[in-house]
């Protein structure tokens, strides 16, 4: 009986072994992750930053007007002359204070022009102009001295703008109906690149009530022509003096 049982088990074991050998084998191949498919931490950080700050995302379409220290510097120079030289200490204090204040503002106030809006932001004194691209308008506070609200206005809301003086920029003015329906005027001393500011306003803002000369025509004559007083002064000048006005371009000693 034992021999008979062993004989019966042998074919069964052989069949099982044959079935195991004939079973198809599954080969597992390790898959390597390509480094190029992994998101770059730096890129993802930049994208997240742009997503959080729409100003950064739109920076390619935005123009920052750099600061300009000429008016502040001229006032400080006048103060130096009035005080130590002329001993007019009251005038020295007034001109010195205004010059120092405008110089400080020129180092921190920046005008930005997008395709649709003008806004005014503040940067740290001495910071690069590119830093103005990353500043939110809301973080610059309300413009309480000139109507309140955020320092941002659409070009469509501008009803008029003036520039004193084309050729010798000193003061800029514009009026908009975004802050107040009846219109809100704004005045700013030229503590930024006046010519670049003029070019942006001429290209993007609605036309001014008064015709404006092309920046390539800027000279002392265009500055006189921008006001009624200047035009009346020109009537009393000789032909030689009028030609001198046309030949004089920029601030003497400051512009090349």
């Amino acid at each position: 009986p034992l021999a008979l049982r062993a004989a019966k088990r042998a074919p069964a074991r052989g069949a099982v072994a044959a079935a195991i050998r004939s079973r198809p084998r599954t080969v597992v191949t390790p898959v390597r992750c390509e480094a190029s498919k992994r998101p770059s931490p730096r890129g993802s950080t930049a994208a997240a930053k742009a997503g959080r700050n729409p100003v950064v995302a739109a920076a390619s379409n935005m123009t920052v007007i750099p600061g300009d220290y000429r008016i502040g510097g001229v006032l400080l120079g006048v103060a130096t002359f009035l005080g130590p030289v002329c001993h007019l200490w009251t005038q020295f204090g007034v001109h010195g204070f205004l010059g120092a204040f405008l110089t400080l503002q020129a180092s921190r106030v920046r005008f930005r022009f997008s395709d649709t809006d003008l806004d005014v932001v503040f940067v740290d004194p001495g910071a690069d102009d590119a830093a103005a691209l990353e500043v939110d308008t809301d973080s610059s506070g309300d413009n309480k001295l000139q109507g309140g609200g955020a320092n941002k206005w659409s070009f469509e809301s501008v009803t008029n703008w003036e520039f004193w003086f084309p050729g010798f920029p000193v003061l800029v003015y514009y009026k908009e109906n975004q802050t107040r329906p009846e219109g809100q005027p704004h005045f700013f001393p030229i503590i930024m690149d006046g010519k670049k500011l003029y070019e942006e306003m001429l290209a993007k803002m609605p036309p001014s009530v008064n015709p404006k000369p092309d920046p390539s025509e800027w000279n002392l004559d265009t500055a006189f022509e921008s006001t009624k007083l200047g035009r009346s002064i020109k009537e009393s000048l000789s032909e030689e003096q009028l030609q001198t006005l046309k030949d004089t371009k920029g601030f003497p000693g400051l512009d090349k």
Side-chain angles (χ1 to χ4, degrees), residues 18 43 54 69 139 163 167 178 199 202 255:
Y69 301 89
S139 66
F163 203 90
Q178 177 176 306
E199 291 172 344
L202 193 65
D255 291 328

Side-chain angles (χ1 to χ4, degrees), residues 73-224:
V74 167
L75 288 174
L76 290 174
V78 171
T80 303
F81 175 78
L82 292 174
V85 177
C86 301
H87 302 287
L88 300 174
W89 298 108
T90 301
Q91 292 85 341
F92 164 80
V94 172
H95 286 79
F97 173 78
L98 288 177
F101 175 74
L102 292 179
T103 300
L104 173 63
Q105 292 297 83
S107 70
R108 58 191 294 265
V109 177
R110 294 293 179 268
F111 276 51
R112 301 188 308 193
F113 286 81
S114 68
D115 293 334
T116 57
D117 304 280
L118 158 68
D119 62 340
V120 181
V121 297
F122 296 90
V123 298
D124 294 331
D128 189 83
D129 292 328
L133 295 174
E134 301 180 0
V135 180
D136 291 328
T137 306
D138 294 340
S139 66
S140 297
D142 293 340
N143 190 355
K144 299 184 184 301
L145 295 179
Q146 302 197 44
N151 302 320
K152 184 173 184 178
W153 308 273
S154 67
F155 298 139
E156 295 179 351
S157 68
V158 176
T159 57
N160 188 33
W161 63 276
E162 295 293 341
F163 203 90
W164 297 294
F165 308 92
F168 285 80
V170 176
L171 185 69
V172 63
Y173 154 86
Y174 57 92
K175 186 176 183 180
E176 45 81 19
N177 55 22
Q178 177 176 306
T179 304
R180 296 177 181 176
E182 64 273 19
Q184 174 64 44
H186 302 270
F187 293 88
F188 290 94
I190 300 298
I191 53 175
M192 68 292 293
D193 188 324
K195 190 170 186 179
K196 191 170 184 179
L197 174 66
Y198 181 86
E199 291 172 344
E200 289 293 319
M201 296 178 74
L202 193 65
K204 296 182 177 180
M205 284 188 172
S208 172
V209 173
N210 298 308
K212 296 291 182 290
D214 188 87
S216 62
E217 302 173 358
W218 271 22
N219 52 42
L220 188 54
D221 182 68
T222 58
F224 273 76

